[in-house]
Amino acid sequence: GIALIDIAGFGNAASYLDTVRQRGHAGPQSRKALARGYRLRRIDRNAHLDEIHAIHTSCDQRQGRPIDGAYLRMLRYPEQPHCACYGAFDAGGRLAAYCNVARFGNFSATDQLMGYKNGDGAMYLLLAHIICELIEERRVAWFMYDSYLGALPGLRDFKRRLGFRPYRARYSLV
């Protein structure tokens, strides 16, 4: 039960946004973030190491579990030509969330995704933006965000609000 969005199933980004526009989905949360001054752009993670470390250490638990120790060390990130990293910046210009997206053949997947737990809607805005960009680029057919059925209820609901659905899939990386 991995969490996937059928990117190829949308004619354009507007058709995706129509599916998450209603109450109980990502649209209202994304609009809340925009109203609070959040802006998005691609980033080089190595240019934001202190801000990323601050996000990682801002909470000692994620999804009901202690944060993985790997996130507590500040390391430089290797060059990854198959990846793109996106950042959500608050009205003051501070990095509030980021997502590294990797492309593997006909699908892209979240590699790292984390932000401040502040309820501002930045995470919804960030992922909705990435999904829209993937739809418009037409380079992949699917977008994956880890497991769906194995996720805790809060994370499963977050994924549902963004349009992820559980799928059984077989894939191989060559």
Side-chain angles (χ1 to χ4, degrees):
I2 60 172
L4 290 172
I5 292 180
D6 180 2
I7 295 294
F10 293 101
N12 55 39
S15 62
Y16 164 73
L17 292 174
D18 284 343
T19 68
V20 296
R21 182 159 286 142
Q22 68 267 23
R23 184 168 159 74
H25 286 79
Q29 293 294 327
S30 295
R31 285 190 300 278
K32 179 169 70 169
L34 285 171
R36 290 184 174 177
Y38 280 90
R39 297 296 174 251
L40 305 169
R41 69 175 189 264
R42 284 192 183 195
I43 63 169
D44 173 357
R45 290 183 294 176
N46 288 315
H48 297 276
L49 291 175
D50 290 335
E51 292 170 292
I52 289 172
H53 184 69
I55 290 169
H56 290 174
T57 58
S58 67
C59 186
D60 60 352
Q61 287 198 353
R62 299 286 177 153
Q63 295 305 307
R65 295 183 297 256
I67 192 161
D68 186 314
Y71 284 100
L72 301 178
R73 294 184 300 276
M74 191 163 44
L75 303 171
R76 291 193 60 79
Y77 294 98
E79 281 289 318
Q80 297 176 307
H82 64 289
C83 292
C85 193
Y86 300 80
F89 294 83
D90 67 17
R94 176 184 74 148
L95 182 68
Y98 75 98
C99 182
N100 197 50
V101 178
R103 189 172 42 125
F104 306 102
N106 73 338
F107 76 97
S108 285
T110 59
D111 176 45
Q112 282 188 316
L113 170 66
M114 197 172 296
Y116 287 108
K117 293 173 106 178
N118 59 14
D120 278 356
M123 297 291 282
Y124 287 103
L125 178 63
L126 180 60
L127 280 170
H129 172 80
I130 292 167
I131 293 162
C132 287
E133 191 170 293
L134 291 172
I135 291 167
E136 294 298 327
E137 287 177 348
R138 297 259 170 245
R139 294 177 68 191
V140 296
W142 300 92
F143 184 45
M144 182 175 84
Y145 179 6
D146 202 16
S147 70
Y148 191 92
L149 300 176
L152 292 175
L155 183 55
R156 188 180 307 161
D157 188 54
F158 175 74
K159 292 175 183 182
R160 177 198 61 79
R161 289 172 178 241
L162 284 155
F164 288 95
R165 301 284 176 256
Y167 286 85
R168 293 180 131 226
R170 289 179 199 233
Y171 60 90
S172 61
L173 300 177
V174 190

